Amino acid sequence: MRIPVTIVLACICLQSTEAQFGFGGFRNLFRPIQNFLQPVMRGVQNIFGGGPRFKDDGTQSPQATGNDKLFPDDCGREEDKGTGKLCFPDGLLCQERVNKGGVQKFGGHLYWFSWQDNDNSVRNAKWDWFNARNYCRKRCMDLVSFETQQEYDWVKGFINVNVPYFWTSGRLCDF
């Protein structure tokens, strides 16, 4: 009885480390056992109320619609329900992202500052973290993650009294 519990825990732990480290070597070793036990684990989760909280009826795959909404219908955060769906990239919006107002270059990377955008509705948009990230994701971008003190100081130079806050990726800055 002790061995199956150990194997289940190993599979669950190894699955979560792949997202953090991008390493799937050990996970592939346990994949047959994980696939065998997956229906059992889903059943246990449903019995104890750990099943899905909402039906994900948002964007099912990357698209190229060019639909440029501040708050997309197919993904984003629903504040009244406390749920949210991550956006897939939109191929047409990804192509146009470098032509947006507010694009700056530093250290071989492009940065987009929403408060410098040419579109007034974007420039004055008030997003929470989740919707800010989705706006970026729809355009094949992500929220900034500072890797060096110089990068942080450079971004800080674009902030003025008209920018009360800005969202970052939320990763630990340890420089």
Side-chain angles (χ1 to χ4, degrees):
M1 185 68 178
R2 190 177 179 115
I3 293 174
V5 173
T6 304
I7 291 173
V8 171
L9 292 176
C11 293
I12 293 169
C13 293
L14 291 171
Q15 181 177 4
S16 64
T17 59
E18 180 182 11
Q20 184 176 3
F21 300 109
F23 177 75
F26 290 116
R27 181 175 177 226
N28 291 335
L29 180 67
F30 291 105
R31 187 177 303 272
I33 297 168
Q34 181 181 0
N35 290 342
F36 175 75
L37 293 174
Q38 197 169 31
V40 174
M41 293 305 292
R42 279 196 196 122
V44 171
Q45 283 180 335
N46 289 335
I47 289 171
F48 294 108
R53 301 265 185 254
F54 65 95
K55 180 182 176 202
D56 188 359
D57 56 352
T59 308
Q60 298 300 311
S61 63
Q63 300 179 9
T65 64
N67 250 349
D68 194 6
K69 296 181 180 179
L70 284 180
F71 298 95
D73 303 13
D74 60 344
C75 58
R77 182 166 184 240
E78 298 178 36
E79 291 186 29
D80 55 325
K81 295 181 182 177
T83 61
K85 301 168 191 151
L86 288 176
C87 293
F88 276 102
D90 184 301
L92 296 176
L93 296 177
C94 292
Q95 285 178 334
E96 292 298 314
R97 75 181 186 267
V98 296
N99 300 322
K100 293 178 72 62
V103 174
Q104 306 288 339
K105 190 171 188 173
F106 176 80
H109 298 282
L110 294 177
Y111 296 76
W112 173 69
F113 298 98
S114 61
W115 58 89
Q116 294 181 342
D117 197 275
N118 296 333
D119 183 343
N120 197 37
S121 64
V122 174
R123 189 171 42 246
N124 296 315
K126 304 292 184 229
W127 289 301
D128 59 11
W129 182 88
F130 195 85
N131 284 318
R133 183 165 189 228
N134 269 337
Y135 188 85
C136 291
R137 284 177 55 94
K138 282 282 250 200
R139 289 148 188 83
C140 299
M141 303 184 292
D142 209 336
L143 298 175
V144 68
S145 178
F146 301 115
E147 302 297 328
T148 65
Q149 183 69 47
Q150 293 79 15
E151 181 185 27
Y152 172 74
D153 292 338
W154 179 77
V155 168
K156 203 165 81 170
F158 286 92
I159 300 172
N160 59 40
V161 294
N162 298 322
V163 182
Y165 62 90
F166 65 96
W167 296 111
T168 66
S169 69
R171 289 190 227 152
L172 175 65
C173 294
D174 58 356
F175 45 82

